């Protein structure tokens, strides 16, 4: 009988302990034994998606920095035709050249005229030489067609150009002169100092004298 009573007392104690463990907490809420949700979880236990960090505000009114040009991009500037190596080659004047005249054919008073670039830069021998005959009025007439300024003969330092001067046959209408004077066609009003050359025996006929344009060799100058 005492054994049965002791077992009943023990069973009652265990039951009382169990009830107190499952009972309400001090604040009245049932203690479920679960841990506190982490900061990343919602109240329902579902993990929340972290919010994206705010974008930094862009500077108002600040233009974007210009991109550097690529190495292959051509520099701005004149076109290729404007940047041609000869764009600054000016016409030759008498200040740029030396001058000489040599008898080529006595019967026709034909002389070979030669100029040589004595300056340190290139120049262009334009058109025809301007030739006058000593104290005679007028100048030699032009024979043959000269190229335009773009195609005019280019003379580098030390290079020469040639022209053929024809005085004319002794027809009794002209006069023998001992020298001639030369100036260059510059297509401008540039004042030049005439260059002179000795021409013994040159007969200048007013109806037959003529001079060729500047060319790059003596043979062509005398055959034009």
């Amino acid at each position: 009988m005492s054994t049965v009573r002791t077992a009943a007392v023990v069973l009652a104690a265990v039951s009382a302990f169990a009830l107190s463990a499952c009972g309400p907490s001090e604040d009245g809420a049932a203690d479920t034994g679960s841990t506190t949700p982490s900061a990343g979880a919602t109240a329902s236990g579902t993990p929340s998606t972290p919010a994206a960090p705010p974008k930094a505000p862009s500077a108002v009114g600040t233009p974007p920095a210009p991109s550097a040009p690529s190495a292959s991009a051509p520099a701005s500037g004149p076109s290729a035709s404007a940047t041609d190596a000869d764009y600054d080659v000016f016409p030759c004047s008498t200040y740029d050249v030396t001058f000489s005249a040599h008898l080529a054919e006595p019967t026709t008073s034909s002389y070979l005229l030669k100029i040589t670039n004595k300056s340190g830069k290139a120049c262009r021998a334009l058109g025809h030489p301007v030739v006058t005959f000593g104290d005679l009025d007028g100048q030699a007439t032009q024979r043959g067609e000269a190229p335009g300024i773009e195609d005019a003969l280019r003379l580098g330092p030390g290079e020469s150009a040639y022209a053929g001067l024809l005085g004319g046959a002794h027809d009794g209408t002209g006069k023998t002169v001992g020298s001639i004077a030369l100036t260059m066609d510059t297509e401008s009003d540039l004042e030049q100092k005439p260059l002179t050359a000795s021409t013994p025996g040159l007969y200048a006929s007013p109806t037959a004298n003529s001079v060729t344009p500047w060319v790059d060799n003596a043979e062509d100058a005398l055959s034009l």
Side-chain angles (χ1 to χ4, degrees):
M1 181 68 178
S2 61
T3 301
V4 174
R5 184 175 295 172
T6 300
V9 172
V10 172
L11 180 60
V14 171
S15 299
F17 178 79
L19 288 175
S20 64
C22 296
S25 61
E26 293 181 359
D27 58 4
D31 186 5
T32 61
S34 62
T35 59
T36 303
S38 62
T42 61
S44 62
T46 304
S48 63
T49 304
K55 294 183 179 179
S58 59
V60 178
T62 303
S67 58
S70 63
S72 60
S76 61
S79 64
S81 59
T83 59
D84 184 90
D86 288 343
Y87 79 96
D88 59 349
V89 177
F90 295 100
C92 302
S93 76
T94 55
Y95 298 106
D96 300 313
V97 299
T98 60
F99 169 57
S100 63
H102 302 281
L103 181 62
E105 175 54 56
T107 58
T108 58
S109 289
S110 179
Y111 272 78
L112 176 67
L113 310 183
K114 177 183 178 181
I115 57 171
T116 301
N117 184 355
K118 68 176 183 178
S119 72
K121 63 183 186 303
C123 64
R124 290 190 182 277
L126 298 187
H128 296 71
V130 180
V131 179
T132 56
F133 302 95
D135 59 353
L136 297 181
D137 292 335
Q139 64 186 49
T141 59
Q142 297 179 355
R143 182 171 83 249
E145 185 177 355
I149 187 171
E150 299 84 0
D151 301 314
L153 186 60
R154 182 185 187 278
L155 299 182
E159 294 182 338
S160 299
Y162 304 87
L165 173 66
L166 181 65
H170 291 253
D171 59 3
T173 61
K175 182 179 179 181
T176 300
V177 295
S179 67
I180 58 175
L182 172 137
T183 55
M184 301 292 295
D185 178 7
T186 62
E187 293 196 348
S188 71
D189 57 358
L190 173 69
E191 293 186 7
Q192 301 178 69
K193 180 180 179 180
L195 301 177
T196 60
S198 176
T199 55
L202 172 61
Y203 186 83
S205 171
T207 59
N209 71 80
S210 60
V211 66
T212 69
W214 293 113
V215 293
D216 61 1
N217 65 89
E219 182 178 358
D220 287 346
L222 295 173
S223 62
L224 290 175

Short mmCIF file of all heavy atoms in Angstrom, two decimals, residues 124-128 144-154 185 187 213-215:
data_model
loop_
_atom_site.label_atom_id
_atom_site.label_comp_id
_atom_site.label_asym_id
_atom_site.label_seq_id
_atom_site.Cartn_x
_atom_site.Cartn_y
_atom_site.Cartn_z
N ARG A 124 59.79 78.70 -108.15
CA ARG A 124 59.24 78.25 -109.43
C ARG A 124 59.58 79.25 -110.53
O ARG A 124 59.40 80.46 -110.36
CB ARG A 124 57.73 78.10 -109.33
CG ARG A 124 57.29 76.92 -108.46
CD ARG A 124 55.79 76.69 -108.60
NE ARG A 124 55.35 75.60 -107.74
CZ ARG A 124 55.42 74.31 -108.04
NH1 ARG A 124 55.97 73.95 -109.20
NH2 ARG A 124 54.99 73.38 -107.22
N ALA A 125 60.09 78.72 -111.66
CA ALA A 125 60.37 79.55 -112.83
C ALA A 125 59.08 79.65 -113.65
O ALA A 125 58.71 78.72 -114.36
CB ALA A 125 61.50 78.94 -113.66
N LEU A 126 58.39 80.76 -113.52
CA LEU A 126 57.08 80.92 -114.16
C LEU A 126 57.21 81.41 -115.59
O LEU A 126 58.05 82.25 -115.91
CB LEU A 126 56.23 81.92 -113.38
CG LEU A 126 55.87 81.60 -111.93
CD1 LEU A 126 54.88 82.64 -111.41
CD2 LEU A 126 55.31 80.20 -111.80
N GLY A 127 56.33 80.92 -116.42
CA GLY A 127 56.13 81.46 -117.76
C GLY A 127 57.38 81.62 -118.60
O GLY A 127 58.24 80.74 -118.67
N HIS A 128 57.50 82.79 -119.24
CA HIS A 128 58.61 83.14 -120.11
C HIS A 128 59.54 84.14 -119.42
O HIS A 128 59.08 84.94 -118.60
CB HIS A 128 58.10 83.77 -121.41
CG HIS A 128 57.28 82.88 -122.27
ND1 HIS A 128 56.00 82.48 -121.93
CD2 HIS A 128 57.55 82.31 -123.48
CE1 HIS A 128 55.51 81.70 -122.89
NE2 HIS A 128 56.43 81.58 -123.84
N GLY A 144 55.72 79.83 -127.88
CA GLY A 144 55.34 78.60 -127.20
C GLY A 144 54.48 78.87 -125.97
O GLY A 144 54.46 79.97 -125.43
N GLU A 145 53.75 77.86 -125.57
CA GLU A 145 52.82 77.99 -124.43
C GLU A 145 53.49 77.57 -123.14
O GLU A 145 54.13 76.51 -123.06
CB GLU A 145 51.58 77.14 -124.67
CG GLU A 145 50.50 77.31 -123.60
CD GLU A 145 49.25 76.51 -123.91
OE1 GLU A 145 49.18 75.91 -125.00
OE2 GLU A 145 48.35 76.48 -123.05
N ALA A 146 53.34 78.38 -122.12
CA ALA A 146 53.93 78.08 -120.81
C ALA A 146 52.90 77.38 -119.92
O ALA A 146 51.70 77.65 -120.04
CB ALA A 146 54.40 79.36 -120.13
N PRO A 147 53.34 76.48 -119.04
CA PRO A 147 52.39 75.83 -118.12
C PRO A 147 51.86 76.82 -117.09
O PRO A 147 52.45 77.89 -116.87
CB PRO A 147 53.25 74.74 -117.45
CG PRO A 147 54.65 75.25 -117.55
CD PRO A 147 54.72 76.01 -118.84
N GLY A 148 50.74 76.45 -116.46
CA GLY A 148 50.18 77.27 -115.40
C GLY A 148 51.06 77.28 -114.17
O GLY A 148 52.03 76.51 -114.06
N ILE A 149 50.72 78.13 -113.24
CA ILE A 149 51.55 78.28 -112.05
C ILE A 149 51.66 76.98 -111.26
O ILE A 149 52.69 76.69 -110.67
CB ILE A 149 51.01 79.42 -111.15
CG1 ILE A 149 51.98 79.68 -109.99
CG2 ILE A 149 49.60 79.11 -110.64
CD1 ILE A 149 51.62 80.93 -109.21
N GLU A 150 50.58 76.16 -111.28
CA GLU A 150 50.64 74.90 -110.53
C GLU A 150 51.64 73.92 -111.13
O GLU A 150 52.19 73.07 -110.43
CB GLU A 150 49.25 74.24 -110.48
CG GLU A 150 48.17 75.06 -109.79
CD GLU A 150 47.53 76.07 -110.72
OE1 GLU A 150 47.94 76.12 -111.91
OE2 GLU A 150 46.64 76.82 -110.28
N ASP A 151 51.86 74.03 -112.44
CA ASP A 151 52.75 73.10 -113.14
C ASP A 151 54.07 73.74 -113.56
O ASP A 151 54.85 73.14 -114.30
CB ASP A 151 52.06 72.53 -114.39
CG ASP A 151 50.78 71.80 -114.05
OD1 ASP A 151 50.80 70.99 -113.10
OD2 ASP A 151 49.76 72.03 -114.73
N ALA A 152 54.30 74.96 -113.10
CA ALA A 152 55.53 75.66 -113.48
C ALA A 152 56.75 74.91 -112.94
O ALA A 152 56.69 74.20 -111.94
CB ALA A 152 55.50 77.08 -112.94
N LEU A 153 57.86 75.10 -113.64
CA LEU A 153 59.09 74.39 -113.31
C LEU A 153 59.57 74.76 -111.90
O LEU A 153 59.76 75.93 -111.58
CB LEU A 153 60.17 74.75 -114.35
CG LEU A 153 61.50 74.00 -114.26
CD1 LEU A 153 61.28 72.50 -114.42
CD2 LEU A 153 62.46 74.51 -115.33
N ARG A 154 59.79 73.74 -111.09
CA ARG A 154 60.25 73.94 -109.71
C ARG A 154 61.77 73.78 -109.67
O ARG A 154 62.31 72.78 -110.12
CB ARG A 154 59.61 72.90 -108.79
CG ARG A 154 59.98 73.02 -107.31
CD ARG A 154 59.38 71.86 -106.53
NE ARG A 154 59.54 71.98 -105.11
CZ ARG A 154 60.64 71.66 -104.44
NH1 ARG A 154 61.70 71.18 -105.09
NH2 ARG A 154 60.71 71.78 -103.12
N ASP A 185 59.11 86.48 -114.50
CA ASP A 185 57.66 86.60 -114.34
C ASP A 185 57.30 86.10 -112.94
O ASP A 185 57.53 84.93 -112.61
CB ASP A 185 56.95 85.76 -115.40
CG ASP A 185 55.44 85.80 -115.27
OD1 ASP A 185 54.92 86.58 -114.43
OD2 ASP A 185 54.77 85.03 -115.98
N GLU A 187 54.14 87.07 -111.55
CA GLU A 187 52.69 87.28 -111.43
C GLU A 187 52.36 88.18 -110.25
O GLU A 187 51.39 87.96 -109.52
CB GLU A 187 51.96 85.93 -111.31
CG GLU A 187 52.02 85.10 -112.57
CD GLU A 187 51.00 83.96 -112.59
OE1 GLU A 187 50.41 83.69 -111.53
OE2 GLU A 187 50.80 83.36 -113.65
N PRO A 213 59.36 79.56 -123.21
CA PRO A 213 59.16 79.46 -121.75
C PRO A 213 60.33 78.71 -121.11
O PRO A 213 61.11 78.05 -121.80
CB PRO A 213 57.85 78.68 -121.61
CG PRO A 213 57.73 77.91 -122.88
CD PRO A 213 58.36 78.75 -123.94
N TRP A 214 60.42 78.78 -119.81
CA TRP A 214 61.46 78.05 -119.07
C TRP A 214 61.19 76.55 -119.13
O TRP A 214 60.06 76.11 -118.91
CB TRP A 214 61.51 78.50 -117.61
CG TRP A 214 61.96 79.92 -117.40
CD1 TRP A 214 61.19 80.94 -116.92
CD2 TRP A 214 63.26 80.45 -117.64
NE1 TRP A 214 61.93 82.09 -116.85
CE2 TRP A 214 63.22 81.82 -117.28
CE3 TRP A 214 64.45 79.93 -118.13
CZ2 TRP A 214 64.31 82.67 -117.38
CZ3 TRP A 214 65.55 80.77 -118.23
CH2 TRP A 214 65.49 82.11 -117.87
N VAL A 215 62.24 75.79 -119.42
CA VAL A 215 62.17 74.33 -119.43
C VAL A 215 63.36 73.78 -118.65
O VAL A 215 64.26 74.54 -118.26
CB VAL A 215 62.16 73.76 -120.87
CG1 VAL A 215 60.88 74.14 -121.60
CG2 VAL A 215 63.38 74.23 -121.65
#
